[in-house]
Amino acid sequence: MTYEYEGKTEKEAIEMAAMDLGLERDQFDVEILETQKNSLFKKGYVKIRVHTLDDEKPISYDNKRNHEEKFSRLVANPLPQDEFEKQLIEFVTNIIEKMGYTVKVSVTYREDKKIGIKLDSDHSSILIGRKGKNLDALQVLANIYAGRLGHEEIRVILDSENYRIRREESLVRLAYTTADKVRSSRNSILLEPMNPFERRLIHTTLNDIPDVETKSEGDGLYKQVRVLYKGVR
């Protein structure tokens, strides 16, 4: 599968792709589509196309339940365990406080090359934003900062009020419901704009349904997924 990203530099675009797709750098190939240098009237940018090397298995409710149970068994010390974690938590805390909101930032889990960060705040709805866009933006900044600290290999996952899990469950239900409607009507349905991770969730959830296919449409980071009826082959 292929995805497109845009950043101020090639490195920033690649970091955004790795974070949103949940992949390590060696799990996808990068194709440079367009490069725009800074000029008097235009800001510079780099547009890339990402080709994933391994398609993931569709996400089922059983798989998600096992995934959640796995995390529930992890006992993570919420306090920073080293200088990297300390600086990361201070960075996220400072950004949110400069936005004008109080927050308590803590570690929820630690995995190989991944760390979960929880945001506890009376303003969680604002930090999450519509469809999680504010949370996604904060997560991008946290991952860029982790890279600047010399930990490009670690993926930082920000969450608040268990939004990530609730959003994934909602998208899986949406995918199956939309597939049923498409199979009944024989028409296509265009879903709301989603970030690359959310689109990938829709694609992989419906990947094994033989008479339905999906494709992404639009430009930029937030594209739409179209679910189409193709009939049984």
Side-chain angles (χ1 to χ4, degrees):
M1 299 179 70
T2 61
Y3 308 88
E4 293 182 5
Y5 296 87
E6 186 177 306
K8 293 180 181 179
T9 63
E10 179 181 345
K11 181 180 179 181
E12 180 178 300
I14 291 174
E15 288 176 346
M16 186 178 296
M19 182 203 69
D20 283 323
L21 296 175
L23 298 176
E24 302 301 329
R25 179 61 187 85
D26 59 359
Q27 290 181 290
F28 60 87
D29 289 329
V30 175
E31 174 187 356
I32 305 298
L33 296 179
E34 188 176 351
T35 299
Q36 172 70 54
K37 294 184 177 180
N38 278 318
S39 66
L40 181 61
F41 301 105
K42 292 184 180 180
K43 292 183 178 181
Y45 67 88
V46 176
K47 187 174 183 180
I48 66 173
R49 177 175 292 144
V50 171
H51 302 265
T52 57
L53 304 182
D54 296 304
D55 289 332
E56 291 204 357
K57 296 180 179 179
I59 298 175
S60 67
Y61 284 113
D62 288 339
N63 287 339
K64 272 192 60 58
R65 190 176 298 111
N66 291 337
H67 181 73
E68 292 167 17
E69 289 176 354
K70 172 187 174 183
F71 278 101
S72 68
R73 291 194 297 267
L74 292 176
V75 180
N77 188 326
L79 300 177
Q81 299 299 291
D82 53 32
E83 187 62 24
F84 164 68
E85 291 185 6
K86 179 182 178 181
Q87 292 182 350
L88 180 63
I89 288 177
E90 288 178 350
F91 174 78
V92 174
T93 301
N94 289 336
I95 285 182
I96 295 174
E97 289 181 346
K98 287 180 180 179
M99 292 169 60
Y101 306 112
T102 58
V103 66
K104 179 181 179 182
V105 182
S106 58
V107 176
T108 53
Y109 64 84
R110 298 176 180 87
E111 285 191 320
D112 184 35
K113 298 182 180 180
K114 185 184 295 186
I115 182 171
I117 302 295
K118 181 174 67 171
L119 311 179
D120 287 318
S121 173
D122 292 335
H123 307 280
S124 292
S125 60
I126 297 176
L127 297 181
I128 294 171
R130 186 176 182 276
K131 305 299 182 183
K133 288 188 177 182
N134 292 348
L135 193 63
D136 288 344
L138 289 169
Q139 184 169 287
V140 169
L141 293 175
N143 277 275
I144 291 175
Y145 184 71
R148 290 179 178 176
L149 292 177
H151 291 275
E152 297 90 347
E153 79 285 358
I154 296 180
R155 184 177 176 227
V156 183
I157 307 296
L158 262 59
D159 201 359
S160 183
E161 301 291 341
N162 291 320
Y163 171 79
R164 298 292 186 195
I165 292 177
R166 291 187 287 108
R167 178 64 171 163
E168 287 184 24
E169 290 175 342
S170 174
L171 288 174
V172 169
R173 288 194 297 269
L174 174 65
Y176 285 129
T177 299
T178 303
D180 287 340
K181 291 180 180 178
V182 167
R183 296 169 79 181
S184 299
S185 66
R186 301 294 197 268
N187 293 321
S188 68
I189 295 178
L190 188 63
L191 301 179
E192 64 192 40
M194 301 177 187
N195 65 38
F197 175 79
E198 292 173 338
R199 295 198 304 272
R200 183 164 174 254
L201 187 62
I202 298 293
H203 290 312
T204 56
T205 298
L206 301 182
N207 190 53
D208 279 354
I209 298 181
D211 53 353
V212 168
E213 64 180 347
T214 60
K215 66 177 182 179
S216 292
E217 297 182 0
D219 299 316
L221 185 63
Y222 286 86
K223 298 181 183 179
Q224 294 175 272
V225 175
R226 184 177 295 277
V227 184
L228 309 96
Y229 177 77
K230 65 178 182 178
V232 179
R233 293 179 179 176

